[in-house]
Amino acid sequence: MIKTFIFTFLFAFICSIGFTQTREAIDSLQHRLAIAKDDTSRINAQIDLCLFYRLGNTDSSLIYGQQALQSADQINYLPGQIQALSFMSIVTEQQGNLPKSLELGFKALQLAREHHLESLAGGALDGIAETYIILKDYPKALSYLRSNISTVGTSNDEGLAYAYFDMGAAFDGMNLLDSAIHYEEMAIETFRKYNREEPLVYQTLGDVAMKSGKPEDALNYYQKSLRIALRNNESRASAYAFNKIATFYQNANEPDSAIYYAGKGLEESRLISQKNTIMEAAALLSKLYEPKDTKESLRYLRIADAYKDSLFGAGNIQAVQTLVAHEEERQKEIESARVAYQNQLKQYALILGLAILLLIAFFLYRNNRKEKKAKNLLKDKNEVIEQTLNHLKSTQSQLIQSEKMASLGELTAGIAHEIQNPLNFVNNFSEVNTELVDEMKNELAIGNNQQAIEIANDIKENSEKINHHGKRAGDIVKGMLQHSRSSTGVKEPTDINALADEYLRLTYQGLRAKDKDFNATMKTDFDNSIGKINIIPQDIGRVLLNLFNNAFYAVNQQKSQNLISYEPIVSVTTKKSGNSVFINVSDNGNGIPKNIVDKIFQPFFTTKPTGSGTGLGLSLSYDIVKAHGGEIKVESVEGERGTFIIQLPSS
């Protein structure tokens, strides 16, 4: 009695916790259903409710499954149809309607295979397998479970965990205990990945322990299963656990405890209309009451027989056999069609092979005839090739010059913008000085020398500013001339930080002048310890201009994809390391695909649309850097970023 009292207290306490957790989960799913804005969202919420309720309220589970299926049928939403049928197959199997379970499962499986959506059919495969386990046809159950594992793979941890659990149960039924333990342990590990403890796993482990002659271990597993089921408010699992514990106490010759737990199992089973556990509990109670109360024993026997007939009666077994035979026949037809299709393909391949051989023979014959003519024309072609080569060299020189002029054109708009700022300052301060001169004359005319001196000081400051901005404009023009003129090939000490900074700004302003909507963040991180290095500034400037243009083009392409919260960024860093100076030009654009990374420095290779690039920019850049005794390489992550790294000697 004390044991029963303690258990009753714990049972009530755990149930209260489990009910609270279940209520929260149901409220969350109901809220999802209420706020669903479209049909597919509503169907998916109903499917999740169907799946959730299967653990404790199969009637509600079926209602939501039927609602989801009806809505999915109306809009021809195949994923919803497959999943609703799959989960309803599992629920009807739990209720004991085995023919209906197989019918729904086979229908879901057929839909999935016809439309190549096998990854959604995991529930159907599991439901069919569980039905075969109840029917004790373990080889067929294992066949469907293995198909489930190979189809779903690791994409669905929950589906994979239940497949492992059911495989363990099937191997237990076949008395292959080591295999049963192996798969149940895999199930526990997989359930743990999404923070779930499945109580039925421990019942199978308890059955294995009983068969292995370890009753105490078995009882511990059954009790653990019951605790988890009560904590999770899973009536389905708790009904099984009560029956398992009752069977244990029956075998231990403790009839009072066995009657108590069998009664709890029957009570829990009736709450969810679970025929299989009702039958088990009633049959157990009939045996337990037989020595002490024949009338009560007979009452429970009638209950057990009624549910046994409901589950395994001749009508149900015949319906199951008909469904299985029909499915097997359908599978044979599918296999026959597949074999016929493959044979047809082989015939087509043979015909195609013969046609290819005939075609090859024809070409060989024709080529043999042409070979004689080709020899006579070879001398003439050699002359044409030589002329073409000379023309190609001339064209290449023109293209290189064209690329240089194109880079000058890229800078023109930026230079114009840069010159405009100092010219505005010059014009504004000149106008102010004109007004200040007039004011100074007036002050001198009235003898106010002190005020005139102050005005003269202002004029002087303005003149200094005019001079500063005039020199700035001159420097910009000088830089433009340096870029446009042919390279002298003479290296000179150059501030690489200043060169990179100036070309970055000019490139950006040039692009802004072409496209007012273009915008990007520029980040620089220059190593001030580099000082000046010996380079040909015009040539290295062309290299930097080309890399900056490509970087801004890449981020603009990425931005055009309308990515949420995307901020285009182009970064330039310099760093001195040993006897080398490194210049990194990075962008967070769309990167360079792996299959073309090795080609980007080849002449005339470009990924830009026709007319948007000559394909010579990176090739010339490569040659220029190599001529300086340096290296240029690229690092890219497709769809995320691209970085060009220039390495130059520091002296």
Side-chain angles (χ1 to χ4, degrees):
M1 292 297 293
I2 294 175
K3 183 193 298 183
T4 303
F5 173 77
I6 293 173
F7 175 80
T8 304
F9 174 76
L10 290 174
F11 172 75
F13 176 72
I14 294 172
C15 281
S16 66
I17 296 174
F19 180 78
T20 302
Q21 293 173 339
T22 303
R23 187 72 263 168
E24 290 174 356
I26 291 173
D27 290 343
S28 175
L29 291 171
Q30 293 284 7
H31 179 68
R32 252 185 64 199
L33 179 60
I35 65 172
K37 295 182 179 180
D38 53 63
D39 289 336
T40 56
S41 298
R42 188 176 302 107
I43 291 167
N44 289 332
Q46 289 168 337
I47 288 171
D48 287 343
L49 281 164
C50 171
L51 184 62
F52 183 83
Y53 271 118
R54 83 189 192 284
L55 299 173
N57 189 336
T58 51
D59 290 337
S60 296
S61 177
L62 282 180
I63 290 172
Y64 283 112
Q66 289 163 351
Q67 290 175 353
L69 180 61
Q70 183 178 4
S71 300
D73 286 341
Q74 289 175 352
I75 65 172
N76 196 29
Y77 177 46
L78 284 169
Q81 291 173 307
I82 293 167
Q83 290 186 306
L85 287 167
S86 297
F87 297 144
M88 288 169 66
S89 170
I90 294 174
V91 175
T92 51
E93 170 266 311
Q94 291 171 2
Q95 285 187 334
N97 192 343
L98 304 186
K100 188 66 176 178
S101 174
L102 287 177
E103 178 187 345
L104 295 170
F106 287 147
K107 187 175 181 180
L109 195 55
Q110 182 178 353
L111 273 176
R113 287 173 175 169
E114 285 177 354
H115 297 88
H116 307 292
L117 295 171
E118 287 87 348
S119 61
L120 300 177
L125 291 166
D126 202 53
I128 294 169
E130 287 184 356
T131 300
Y132 278 123
I133 289 173
I134 292 174
L135 294 170
K136 301 187 185 304
D137 191 343
Y138 302 117
K140 279 188 179 178
L142 289 172
S143 173
Y144 280 97
L145 290 169
R146 290 192 178 103
S147 177
N148 185 8
I149 292 171
S150 63
T151 301
V152 176
T154 57
S155 62
N156 182 354
D157 283 336
E158 184 175 4
L160 194 60
Y162 277 108
Y164 287 149
F165 155 65
D166 284 328
M167 286 192 76
F171 280 118
D172 175 45
M174 298 169 71
N175 289 321
L176 298 174
L177 305 185
D178 289 340
S179 296
I181 293 172
H182 169 72
Y183 279 102
E184 296 303 344
E185 288 176 347
M186 289 180 67
I188 291 172
E189 183 179 346
T190 311
F191 278 121
R192 192 177 293 129
K193 288 182 180 179
Y194 64 99
N195 298 321
R196 172 168 173 78
E197 279 191 299
E198 172 54 51
L200 294 177
V201 172
Y202 297 101
Q203 292 181 27
T204 302
L205 290 173
D207 291 344
V208 172
M210 284 294 291
K211 291 178 181 179
S212 302
K214 301 176 182 178
E216 291 301 323
D217 290 347
L219 181 60
N220 289 334
Y221 280 127
Y222 295 150
Q223 290 174 338
K224 183 173 184 178
S225 173
L226 182 59
R227 287 195 300 273
I228 296 170
L230 294 175
R231 183 180 66 220
N232 296 345
N233 197 29
E234 296 179 17
S235 298
R236 169 185 172 234
S238 58
Y240 277 111
F242 281 128
N243 287 352
K244 294 289 184 183
I245 296 173
T247 302
F248 173 85
Y249 282 121
Q250 180 194 28
N251 294 334
N253 200 24
E254 296 185 35
D256 291 340
S257 296
I259 288 172
Y260 173 79
Y261 283 104
K264 296 298 294 184
L266 182 60
E267 178 184 338
E268 197 78 1
S269 301
R270 281 173 165 168
L271 289 175
I272 57 173
S273 302
Q274 189 163 267
K275 295 180 181 179
N276 197 38
T277 49
I278 291 175
M279 179 190 72
E280 289 178 353
L284 190 58
L285 286 167
S286 176
K287 289 182 181 179
L288 291 167
Y289 274 110
E290 188 175 354
K292 58 170 62 177
D293 190 337
T294 305
K295 183 178 179 181
E296 194 71 1
S297 173
L298 182 59
R299 183 172 72 87
Y300 284 118
L301 180 61
R302 288 172 178 169
I303 294 173
D305 286 344
Y307 278 96
K308 182 177 181 180
D309 185 64
S310 175
L311 281 168
F312 305 111
N316 278 352
I317 296 302
Q318 185 177 358
V320 168
Q321 290 173 343
T322 301
L323 283 168
V324 171
H326 177 74
E327 179 64 15
E328 289 177 348
E329 184 64 27
R330 193 177 69 84
Q331 292 299 328
K332 287 179 181 178
E333 291 175 359
I334 293 172
E335 181 63 20
S336 297
R338 185 185 67 81
V339 171
Y341 177 70
Q342 288 182 340
N343 290 337
Q344 191 175 30
L345 285 179
K346 289 178 181 178
Q347 291 177 354
Y348 289 152
L350 181 60
I351 294 170
L352 181 62
L354 290 172
I356 292 172
L357 287 174
L358 290 172
L359 190 62
I360 291 172
F362 169 75
F363 280 120
L364 288 174
Y365 172 74
R366 190 184 67 171
N367 290 342
N368 188 50
R369 293 189 61 187
K370 288 184 176 180
E371 188 176 355
K372 294 179 181 179
K373 294 181 180 179
K375 288 180 180 179
N376 296 329
L377 296 173
L378 185 58
K379 291 182 180 179
D380 294 336
K381 287 186 177 180
N382 285 338
E383 293 177 1
V384 173
I385 289 172
E386 187 174 353
Q387 293 175 2
T388 303
L389 181 60
N390 293 332
H391 179 69
L392 180 61
K393 290 179 179 179
S394 175
T395 303
Q396 185 178 16
S397 299
Q398 293 175 8
L399 282 172
I400 291 173
Q401 185 61 30
S402 174
E403 177 68 21
K404 293 179 179 179
M405 295 307 295
S407 65
L408 176 62
E410 295 288 348
L411 284 179
T412 301
I415 290 170
H417 182 273
E418 288 291 305
I419 292 176
Q420 189 62 46
N421 286 334
L423 286 179
N424 287 340
F425 280 110
V426 170
N427 292 335
N428 291 338
F429 284 122
S430 296
E431 292 176 1
V432 171
N433 274 2
T434 300
E435 295 175 359
L436 289 175
V437 169
D438 291 337
E439 291 182 13
M440 185 172 68
K441 287 179 179 179
N442 292 335
E443 296 297 333
L444 289 172
I446 62 176
N448 192 348
N449 293 335
Q450 181 61 35
Q451 186 65 27
I453 290 170
E454 291 179 1
I455 293 173
N457 290 334
D458 291 341
I459 293 172
K460 181 180 179 181
E461 290 179 4
N462 289 346
S463 296
E464 290 174 351
K465 293 177 181 177
I466 291 171
N467 183 50
H468 169 74
H469 290 291
K471 287 181 178 179
R472 171 64 182 150
D475 290 340
I476 294 171
V477 173
K478 179 181 177 182
M480 179 180 69
L481 292 173
Q482 285 179 339
H483 182 82
S484 62
R485 75 188 183 198
S486 299
S487 172
T488 62
V490 178
K491 294 181 180 180
E492 57 185 79
T494 305
D495 185 343
I496 193 67
N497 292 340
L499 187 70
D501 186 58
E502 182 174 4
Y503 273 83
L504 179 65
R505 288 187 293 102
L506 291 177
T507 305
Y508 178 71
Q509 294 297 342
L511 293 171
R512 285 275 296 167
K514 290 181 181 178
D515 183 3
K516 297 298 183 184
D517 294 329
F518 175 76
N519 200 1
T521 300
M522 295 181 291
K523 294 183 179 181
T524 58
D525 183 10
F526 296 136
D527 185 351
N528 295 323
S529 68
I530 295 175
K532 293 185 177 182
I533 61 174
N534 284 326
I535 58 172
I536 304 172
Q538 301 98 315
D539 290 350
I540 296 300
R542 290 189 181 104
V543 173
L544 292 172
L545 174 64
N546 185 269
L547 297 184
F548 294 154
N549 267 323
N550 288 346
F552 284 122
Y553 178 84
V555 298
N556 197 35
Q557 289 293 104
Q558 188 81 328
K559 187 178 181 181
S560 66
Q561 298 178 10
N562 297 320
L563 300 175
I564 299 173
S565 70
Y566 172 70
E567 179 186 359
I569 300 173
V570 174
S571 305
V572 185
T573 64
T574 61
K575 183 178 181 181
K576 183 176 182 181
S577 178
N579 295 324
S580 298
V581 171
F582 294 89
I583 308 167
N584 289 15
V585 180
S586 302
D587 65 77
N588 64 340
N590 46 19
I592 303 171
K594 289 182 179 180
N595 61 327
I596 67 170
V597 168
D598 295 335
K599 302 177 183 179
I600 60 174
F601 293 114
Q602 296 177 5
F604 308 109
F605 181 82
T606 180
T607 59
K608 295 179 181 178
T610 303
S612 299
T614 64
L616 285 173
L618 287 176
S619 174
L620 287 175
S621 299
Y622 181 86
D623 292 340
I624 290 170
V625 173
K626 280 291 184 182
H628 278 74
E631 291 184 3
I632 181 170
K633 60 182 181 178
V634 62
E635 295 177 354
S636 174
V637 177
E638 188 174 354
E640 294 183 13
R641 61 179 175 81
T643 301
F644 282 87
I645 304 168
I646 302 172
Q647 179 185 355
L648 296 171
S650 60
S651 60

